[in-house]
Amino acid sequence: MSEQRILVTYLTQAKDLQKKAEAIAVGMTVGSWTDLPAAKQEELKPYLGEAVGSQTLDTLDNGESRGLITVSYPLRNFTKDIPSLLTGIFGKLSMDGKIKLVDVQFPDSFLSAFPGPKYGIAGLRERLGAHGRPLLMSIFKSCLGLPFDDLKTQFRAQALGGVDLVKDDEIFFADDRAPFLERISAFKQIARQTEAETGKPVIYAANLTGPVHELNDRAKRAVEAGADCLLFNVLAFGYDALHRLAADPDVQVPIMAHPALAGAFYPSPDYGIATPLLLGKLMRLAGADLVLFPSPYGNVALNKAEALQLSQHLTEPSGSLRQSFPVPSAGIHPGLVPQLYEDFGLNQVVNAGGGIHGHPGGATAGARAFVAAIDAVVAGRTLEEAAAESAELAAALQKWGAGR
Amino acid sequence: MSEQRILVTYLTQAKDLQKKAEAIAVGMTVGSWTDLPAAKQEELKPYLGEAVGSQTLDTLDNGESRGLITVSYPLRNFTKDIPSLLTGIFGKLSMDGKIKLVDVQFPDSFLSAFPGPKYGIAGLRERLGAHGRPLLMSIFKSCLGLPFDDLKTQFRAQALGGVDLVKDDEIFFADDRAPFLERISAFKQIARQTEAETGKPVIYAANLTGPVHELNDRAKRAVEAGADCLLFNVLAFGYDALHRLAADPDVQVPIMAHPALAGAFYPSPDYGIATPLLLGKLMRLAGADLVLFPSPYGNVALNKAEALQLSQHLTEPSGSLRQSFPVPSAGIHPGLVPQLYEDFGLNQVVNAGGGIHGHPGGATAGARAFVAAIDAVVAGRTLEEAAAESAELAAALQKWGAGR
């Protein structure tokens, strides 16, 4: 691919897909072409989009073709940020009938303008001293309205079980009972205590909120208060807010991207933005060190091929961008760990809420069951073998079963 | 409605819609309920969502009901900003099967925390001295890559025709040939000249771009350079960025919201966010003085009932929020003005691109044709009557016809 062009793939339908690609190539860049005088064409040529190809997937009853089209855009058309990119390749086009933004391929010169993840998989593993295994994260049972002491109790219980990370609820904005900075300090202290007891560090991801133009300052204050990680609702605040946090040398802390609102974009077959791009490529580009996304298991699961593609986008080589940790979420219990390991491999975070808090022995036992399951799969043992040595895992398998 | 609750309506499907509403009311607030001890219930009750009602619209082949459900959320669950709101009412829920966010009703105490439009319809009319008629806006034929002189020529041609506003292309981010602040100064000077010639002021809306946390500073510099209005890609940057611009006392300039990327949210019947909320209520709440949206005419038109509802949300009484100007866009030519007037009334901006630049006599004639059409409908005359006195309107009607 040319170092000077961005390659964009859309899923759409039209009588003639190639003609549609050509119309988009002109309409999304210089506006008109064939009616321009030759001198003007010469002048605007460097800004002109180009129809690269089309591929019919189905022929519809109305005779139209449904398929993929690819358009290339000159790099010079964009400033190097995601609002410019998305507006330029999908802004008004998103309103132009059935069309879904499926993929974007960036030249290295575009990628290198973005900081990407500040820590990435390697940096997070180093911070935690956790190598050669998936990480484990747990979620508060709930946050909203809980007295501070309840949250402290929950945090300690999860940490004692051996989780690597604990994250806030993404809806935790109104936190007057347990304010952001105070929470960070208090949980840091508890984390030090539990590390002294268990020998295992734990990272707390506090939900970063506030006016968008003050987020960097709020993040800096969080770091000063001892924050180890920030949770961030990227789509609610916009990708650029994440980009600017990741690019800020004073915000020395990994950022965990929550997928809240992603379902407003990805599930329609006809409209929106495909998950591997929305929660994969763009999140990594903008600088997420960890990315939560719906797991391909459970009641309302992400399409498996898309979940795997998403995870691949977070971890495959991509310019100089560090890797982001995939965090397939929802419906996770210890019996699923072998499946998770088969699907997402070593470099993932196993993330559970109900699968930890719902354990018959409570959250600490719930976390221990996951730790035993993760140790087992990495060692190539079955969960049943491991359960013989872990009463917590045995109880979890009894409750939730092994496998899906 | 209670002053202390936010009422949210979703379109969804379920075996039992009321039960689904109840599950959402718990799941999106305190997380669990029936299994909580009584003392905990007492403590969390103030944060608990409530299923208000459900209304079946269809029964599906699988026996499920498709319909509207309404859930009320305690105001205390949110900070008073749109990221908190959207994450709290639709964040993870958006990923939970077929569900579309349709409407939100805010108590005045929530509305009053937002600045809303700084100028609104009345303020813009005053700035322009334009009362008792729809306003007229034109769009550059294209911006990207054009030499500065070409843009100046285009600006002058449009202004001479009597338009009230001229706006940048929304894709105009990479503007090294005609940089933002220089453009603002240059067009301001041209606007002074054309006002001296025609007696009519014209407002230029420059596309505000840049890192999200620096937008307020960029906007201030634009105002210092003489900016009269800013165009803003709200969905690409996030509603909160608009909110903070509107709330900034140093950004004394009306803001025009572009709907770029809106099509990633609204067209699916099953997913996303409904247009009247997405481009109506939320844009006004966040502070847009003018809101562009796809017109209900033309090839790829917005559903007419939704377009009218959107427009109503922008203009109906809503706490202390000023009114936003509806700007139905795309496919507009002078022959459509009576239809626009019938549908959207006095308080709208007639917005044309091709319908001005494509006029056989050029952009100035194209603008004059619109001015004549607008004057005619306001005076209760037919376009044919007006065309007898306006050669430009006659030529436009000849080219595009009268009506749709």
Side-chain angles (χ1 to χ4, degrees):
Chain A
M1 183 176 54
S2 154
E3 257 312 283
Q4 299 307 322
R5 298 186 81 87
I6 291 178
L7 221 59
V8 182
T9 304
Y10 307 95
L11 176 64
T12 189
Q13 59 189 65
K15 228 179 221 156
D16 182 331
L17 287 174
Q18 187 65 26
K19 276 212 175 119
K20 180 146 189 177
E22 286 161 14
I24 290 171
V26 173
M28 291 299 284
T29 58
V30 300
S32 54
W33 188 249
T34 48
D35 60 334
L36 292 183
K40 198 64 24 201
Q41 285 192 346
E42 193 58 33
E43 199 163 62
L44 291 180
K45 188 107 208 282
Y47 298 86
L48 179 64
E50 209 175 281
V52 174
S54 61
Q55 181 197 350
T56 299
L57 301 176
D58 308 299
T59 302
L60 304 173
D61 289 346
N62 65 3
E64 290 192 347
S65 302
R66 184 168 181 277
L68 298 168
I69 58 176
T70 301
V71 175
S72 91
Y73 294 85
L75 201 54
R76 75 174 71 227
N77 289 17
F78 306 93
T79 50
K80 285 170 180 170
D81 56 77
I82 296 179
S84 171
L85 174 80
L86 288 180
T87 304
I89 65 176
F90 201 46
K92 68 180 176 186
L93 183 58
S94 73
M95 298 176 278
D96 198 10
K98 290 193 176 174
I99 187 154
K100 185 166 184 172
L101 178 62
V102 171
D103 193 26
V104 184
Q105 287 177 63
F106 305 105
D108 282 350
S109 56
F110 189 81
L111 292 177
S112 64
F114 288 80
K118 203 173 262 161
Y119 294 86
I121 291 178
L124 259 162
R125 286 195 177 284
E126 200 171 315
R127 281 204 149 198
L128 283 161
H131 301 279
R133 63 168 175 84
L135 302 187
L136 174 61
M137 174 156 81
S138 73
I139 304 177
F140 287 94
K141 199 173 173 185
S142 78
C143 290
L144 202 65
L146 278 198
F148 205 164
D149 282 342
D150 287 26
L151 288 176
K152 289 178 192 165
T153 307
Q154 273 194 46
F155 183 81
R156 182 173 158 81
Q158 296 169 89
L160 278 180
V163 301
D164 300 295
L165 302 111
V166 178
K167 67 168 267 295
D168 274 347
D169 263 3
E170 80 287 357
I171 59 169
F172 203 21
F173 282 72
D175 60 358
D176 38 296
R177 287 191 170 183
F180 184 60
L181 295 180
E182 294 171 38
R183 228 154 68 220
I184 289 169
S185 306
F187 293 171
K188 182 85 174 184
Q189 208 182 333
I190 298 174
R192 286 210 188 94
Q193 289 162 4
T194 58
E195 185 175 352
E197 293 170 51
T198 66
K200 216 169 161 186
V202 58
I203 281 180
Y204 164 58
N207 193 26
L208 180 66
T209 64
V212 68
H213 62 316
E214 294 174 8
L215 288 174
N216 287 43
D217 286 337
R218 298 250 305 163
K220 282 171 213 171
R221 290 205 296 277
V223 173
E224 285 160 15
D228 286 317
C229 186
L230 293 171
L231 176 70
F232 190 52
N233 287 296
V234 179
L235 299 173
F237 284 100
Y239 287 107
D240 200 61
L242 172 58
H243 177 176
R244 305 309 162 181
L245 287 164
D248 191 331
D250 292 334
V251 181
Q252 282 301 344
V253 69
I255 302 173
M256 184 187 295
H258 195 278
L261 297 177
F265 292 91
Y266 69 70
S268 164
D270 298 319
Y271 305 103
I273 303 179
T275 335
L277 177 63
L278 183 79
L279 297 178
K281 277 192 186 176
L282 294 178
M283 287 294 182
R284 182 178 180 188
L285 187 65
D289 295 279
L290 308 104
V291 181
L292 278 78
F293 57 91
S295 82
Y297 326 112
N299 276 343
V300 186
L302 205 59
N303 170 288
K304 185 147 172 184
E306 289 205 313
L308 295 180
Q309 178 84 66
L310 191 175
S311 176
Q312 193 183 322
H313 286 330
L314 294 179
T315 54
E316 70 196 350
S318 176
S320 58
L321 296 180
R322 293 187 183 81
Q323 297 172 297
S324 311
F325 253 120
V327 192
S329 302
I332 307 296
H333 57 79
L336 265 179
V337 171
Q339 181 75 55
L340 276 166
Y341 194 66
E342 188 185 318
D343 291 339
F344 298 97
L346 201 61
N347 281 327
Q348 67 174 306
V349 179
V350 175
N351 176 29
I356 282 183
H357 297 285
H359 191 283
T364 304
R368 284 188 185 133
F370 270 104
V371 169
I374 291 170
D375 287 348
V377 297
V378 171
R381 302 170 69 201
T382 66
L383 295 190
E384 290 70 18
E385 285 168 342
E389 293 155 24
S390 164
E392 293 93 348
L393 179 55
L397 297 182
Q398 174 107 37
K399 174 162 184 178
W400 288 293
R404 299 176 61 168
Chain B
M1 183 176 54
S2 156
E3 257 312 284
Q4 298 308 321
R5 298 186 81 88
I6 291 178
L7 221 58
V8 181
T9 303
Y10 307 96
L11 177 64
T12 189
Q13 58 190 65
K15 230 180 218 153
D16 183 331
L17 287 173
Q18 187 65 26
K19 276 211 178 118
K20 177 145 191 182
E22 286 161 13
I24 291 171
V26 173
M28 292 299 284
T29 57
V30 298
S32 55
W33 189 249
T34 48
D35 59 335
L36 292 182
K40 197 68 20 204
Q41 286 192 348
E42 193 59 32
E43 200 165 61
L44 291 180
K45 188 107 210 278
Y47 298 85
L48 179 65
E50 210 173 281
V52 174
S54 61
Q55 183 196 349
T56 299
L57 300 175
D58 306 300
T59 302
L60 304 173
D61 289 346
N62 65 3
E64 289 192 348
S65 302
R66 184 168 181 277
L68 299 168
I69 57 176
T70 301
V71 175
S72 90
Y73 294 83
L75 201 55
R76 75 173 72 226
N77 290 18
F78 306 93
T79 50
K80 285 171 180 171
D81 55 77
I82 295 178
S84 171
L85 174 79
L86 289 179
T87 305
I89 66 176
F90 201 48
K92 67 180 175 186
L93 184 58
S94 72
M95 297 176 278
D96 197 9
K98 290 193 175 173
I99 187 154
K100 185 166 184 173
L101 178 62
V102 171
D103 193 26
V104 184
Q105 287 178 61
F106 305 105
D108 282 351
S109 55
F110 188 81
L111 292 177
S112 64
F114 288 79
K118 204 172 260 161
Y119 294 87
I121 290 178
L124 259 163
R125 286 194 178 286
E126 200 171 315
R127 280 203 151 200
L128 283 161
H131 301 277
R133 62 167 175 83
L135 303 187
L136 175 62
M137 174 155 82
S138 74
I139 303 177
F140 288 94
K141 199 173 174 185
S142 77
C143 290
L144 203 64
L146 278 197
F148 205 163
D149 281 343
D150 286 26
L151 288 176
K152 289 180 192 164
T153 307
Q154 272 194 46
F155 183 80
R156 183 173 157 80
Q158 296 169 87
L160 278 180
V163 301
D164 300 295
L165 303 112
V166 177
K167 68 168 265 294
D168 274 347
D169 264 2
E170 80 287 355
I171 59 169
F172 203 22
F173 282 71
D175 60 357
D176 37 297
R177 286 191 172 183
F180 184 59
L181 295 180
E182 294 172 39
R183 227 154 70 220
I184 289 169
S185 306
F187 294 170
K188 182 86 177 183
Q189 209 182 330
I190 298 173
R192 286 209 188 93
Q193 289 162 1
T194 57
E195 184 175 352
E197 294 170 50
T198 66
K200 217 169 162 185
V202 57
I203 281 179
Y204 163 59
N207 193 26
L208 180 66
T209 64
V212 67
H213 62 315
E214 294 174 7
L215 289 174
N216 286 45
D217 286 338
R218 298 249 306 161
K220 281 171 215 172
R221 290 206 297 277
V223 173
E224 285 160 15
D228 287 318
C229 187
L230 294 170
L231 176 70
F232 190 53
N233 287 296
V234 179
L235 299 174
F237 284 100
Y239 287 106
D240 200 62
L242 173 58
H243 177 175
R244 306 308 164 181
L245 287 164
D248 191 332
D250 293 334
V251 181
Q252 281 300 345
V253 68
I255 302 173
M256 184 186 296
H258 195 278
L261 297 178
F265 293 90
Y266 69 70
S268 164
D270 298 320
Y271 304 103
I273 302 179
T275 335
L277 176 63
L278 183 79
L279 298 178
K281 277 192 185 176
L282 293 178
M283 287 293 182
R284 183 178 178 188
L285 187 66
D289 295 280
L290 308 102
V291 180
L292 278 77
F293 57 91
S295 82
Y297 326 112
N299 276 344
V300 185
L302 204 60
N303 169 289
K304 183 144 173 186
E306 289 204 315
L308 296 178
Q309 178 84 67
L310 191 175
S311 176
Q312 192 183 322
H313 285 332
L314 294 178
T315 54
E316 71 196 349
S318 176
S320 58
L321 297 180
R322 293 186 183 83
Q323 297 172 298
S324 312
F325 253 120
V327 192
S329 302
I332 307 295
H333 58 78
L336 265 179
V337 170
Q339 181 74 53
L340 276 165
Y341 194 64
E342 188 184 317
D343 291 339
F344 298 97
L346 201 60
N347 281 326
Q348 68 174 305
V349 179
V350 175
N351 176 30
I356 281 184
H357 297 285
H359 190 283
T364 304
R368 284 188 186 133
F370 270 104
V371 170
I374 291 170
D375 287 349
V377 297
V378 171
R381 302 170 68 201
T382 66
L383 294 189
E384 289 69 19
E385 286 168 343
E389 292 156 25
S390 163
E392 292 93 349
L393 180 55
L397 297 181
Q398 175 105 34
K399 174 161 185 179
W400 288 294
R404 300 176 60 171

